[in-house]
Amino acid sequence: MIQKTMFNSSKRAVISTAVVFFSGIYLTQAQETKPVKDSTSDKQIEEVVLVGSRSGGRSKADSPVPVDVFNLKDIQQSLPQTNINQILNTIAPSFTSTIQTNADGSDHLDPAQLRGLGPDQTLVLINGKRRHTSALVNVNGAPGRGTVGTDLNAIPAFALSRIEVLRDGASAQYGSDAIAGVMNLQLKRDTGKLTGQLNYGGYLTPAANDHTGNYDGQQFQVDLNYGNKIGKRGGFYNITWSSQFRDPTRRAGTESGNIYNAYNAIEKRASEAGVNLSSYFNNINNLKGTAGEQNFVNLIHQYSQGVGYFDSGFQNNIQNANSITALQGLLGANYTDQELAYRGQTRKDFNQQVGQSKLNNHQLFANIEVPLNDDWKVYTFGGYSIRDGASGGFYRRPNQARTFTGLNIDGYLPEIHTKIQDVSLSAGVKGKWDGWNVDFSNTFGQNSFDYTIENTGNTSLRFNSPSTFKAGGLQFLQNTINLDFSKQFDVFEGLNVAFGAEQRHENFQITPGEEASYTAYDIYGNPQTPTTLSSDKPTDFFGAALAGSSQVFSGFRDVNRTNKNRNAYAAYADFEFNFTNWFLVDAAVRYEDYSDFGSTFNYKLASRITLTDDLNFRFAGSTGFRAPSIHQIYYNTTSTLFTTLPATPENPNPQPTLVEVGTFSNDSQIAQGFGIPKLKQETSKSVSTGFTYKIPSLNLNITADAYFIRIDDRIVLTDQFSRPTNVQVALNPNLGPVQEEFDNAKVNAAQFFANSIDTETKGLDVVISHNYRTGSVKLNNDFAINFNETKKVGDIHASDLLRNAGLENTYFGERSRVYLEDSVPKVKASLSNNVKWNDFNFYLRNTYYGKVYGADGINGNVYEHQLISDKIVTDLSIGYDISKNFNLTIGTNNLFDIYPTKNVTASTNNDQFIYSRSTSQFGQNGRYVFSKLTVSF
């Protein structure tokens, strides 16, 4: 049962608005006195859906499971959103996806969720064929953390005719991943015309350009689609090209932390005189006690006198300090504001780039079908996309040891550049053989993620550091062979039998970067080892070791090199019984065997009962599974993260900080040391029930579906295990070898993929659709609302070693619980109204996003979290048909410039993250205005 607490005043307002609106529709149409002619144009044509059925399709109302159909060709002209993720996030309440920021590769690929479950628990099909997933693993702090989803933004939305969303478990029909549901993307089949769109827009908001106002995040997109016939038997080809050029947005506040210390000021004065103080030492401790120490001290004395804002007392203290050690105790003093004024800088010059990343995206897709004769046809479809992205990391300030001021005296903002390439090709032959429908196909897909880190440095290399590093990359390949048979029999009121087999091959690769991207060097330019002496490690003036690797993103190391394969084999059978014209039963079974973890058997049973011509009840129950992705099994790397580590005896109240976090595969020594087992499949049980109701006199359709999903052995990415301290090792000697492995890997923390928990998800979907036609006016209204709640149930599946060490809540910690349970709105609703009048088109959509919570602890309590309150976002567009070939549309997304709740100060990282960077219902970019020219010939 949905808890009453899920309703607050804002939610009641949204529902009340819908009730009043549709009540008004009833009164308006009830007062209509003119008779309506019964013509073909006046009749409502039932939409036929293909997903969820192997009988050739059925109407939405007659489906025994809930299916949403979004006709992109009809609505895309009015929408401000241009990519699939953002379109669905706006129009589908059960779908959630937001743009990420400062999350490494996730900045360039938006994780998406259905019914609050993980991005990897929804199966994506194109033209009914399984789509490959991305190569990227979402390892940073964000909803969907630890998952591997499908890169929907590699597919041009302009190439699609519609999207079908099956909101029900379907593993018994389609295999792994279909726990939350299935999305089927149907490519266009149009022939005989050329269509195109030119789209330009940007964010017009006072928060633009780091809250100085004006306009940023400009986006220009061009889409072209052309199709034509092949032969005279119904063959065709349809080709789409899309190019998008997106500028970044900037939503940081004003850097409030310390930037310059006294040593930085003296170093600047020396630099202006042509003296680089960093050239006088490579390890400051080695300079102490030598003849060079006094020379260096004299340089400090000399150039400190050029710092005019040092008061006489501080100057005297510097002049009286006659050793490096004495100067180190003085020169760490903060002089940020004074030095900024001297250098003609402001604090905003040291802001991070917080907001959407920069992207250039180019896509080519084709859909081709050629009949061989009256019974058989060959088909192929697929595409290629290349996306170049650029996002910023954390600013390397001059007063930090990770900044080598000998090269970057003002610090620098490192950039993560990605090149994402995606290629897919499906080809097959289908037709009739002895009364059977036969479809034999091969579907290939490959996604690659390559990293280049720019405007950065390996500080341990000091003067010899390059500023650009090839940091390696990821690649995922999938090839699927399908053979499907189906036939309808004249039994009862109709019987459809389908069966088939599938073979799937997968390959996952990690390619290491160049050596300098992941290596720390000694003062002689040799890679550091565990036996490297402290005196041989480069330091800054204060004696802090200079970090190795490319700053902001450590490259994949040679030890991370991975090239792993696996194969899966499956067989299924599917039966649809129409026992009477009012009673339908679907039954499906599927067996799959994986080369790397074993086999699984799943089933599904669904039914639809027609009580009247306008009222159907439907029920479904199924088991499901999700095989651990090959990425999750073998992924391993090290990243620099801004995160809060678990408390230790030495640090009982940890604060967010930058740490080196290693993600290790389950066969690593560290994983074995913690007693973490190998991954196995997630298993699920789900039930749903609902009804569809039509009121023909009002052209009104209502559907409501309740669901319950239980998932056992859910795979999550653990929280970060801190390096065991000496106190912890003394209390638990079994942690000694683990501590040694941390030191060998040069990380502060480690995380793993593990079957950590069991969860339950329950919810309700309600959809109300209406259309009205009179004269030159056409009105379409759609209201949809999703109530959804996911909870961890039962005990955490931690090993005895973790329990005995008190680390059970790190295996699945509070932050992970928040990402699972509270980072996705429990209530989401949308009300859209579209009016077509003569040559004008008016589109209005209000989307309600329920409250969520941030993952960071506040007020020193890891179990207390910031509330990010519920909001309503309004989209508005007005279109005008200039002629039959041209349409101009102008509009806005987020008309009233709504932003999420601001972060509490402790979570802002010196006022950089004004809004949560990891949890947001609709992003943090504000009002988007756009113009769109659509052409058709």
Side-chain angles (χ1 to χ4, degrees), residues 281-287 458-462 519-540 543-548 746:
F281 66 92
N282 46 34
N283 181 308
I284 195 68
N285 298 312
N286 295 342
L287 190 60
N458 182 325
T459 54
S460 69
L461 281 172
R462 291 168 46 85
T519 301
Y521 294 89
D522 63 21
I523 59 177
Y524 308 107
N526 300 315
Q528 294 182 25
T529 69
T531 61
T532 298
L533 300 175
S534 296
S535 59
D536 289 339
K537 296 179 179 180
T539 71
D540 68 359
L546 299 181
K746 302 175 184 177

Side-chain angles (χ1 to χ4, degrees), residues 144-162:
R145 179 175 177 268
T147 62
V148 180
T150 300
D151 185 2
L152 293 176
N153 291 341
I155 306 163
F158 204 65
L160 303 181
S161 61
R162 66 179 187 173

Side-chain angles (χ1 to χ4, degrees), residues 36-46 699 771-780:
V36 179
K37 295 181 180 180
D38 183 17
S39 65
T40 302
S41 61
D42 293 324
K43 291 181 180 178
Q44 179 73 19
I45 300 175
E46 292 280 6
N699 290 329
N771 68 82
Y772 175 62
R773 308 286 184 270
T774 179
S776 60
V777 176
K778 299 178 181 179
L779 172 66
N780 289 292

Side-chain angles (χ1 to χ4, degrees), residues 752-763:
F752 314 89
F753 293 96
N755 297 97
S756 299
I757 55 169
D758 304 329
T759 65
E760 290 181 353
T761 299
K762 53 189 175 183

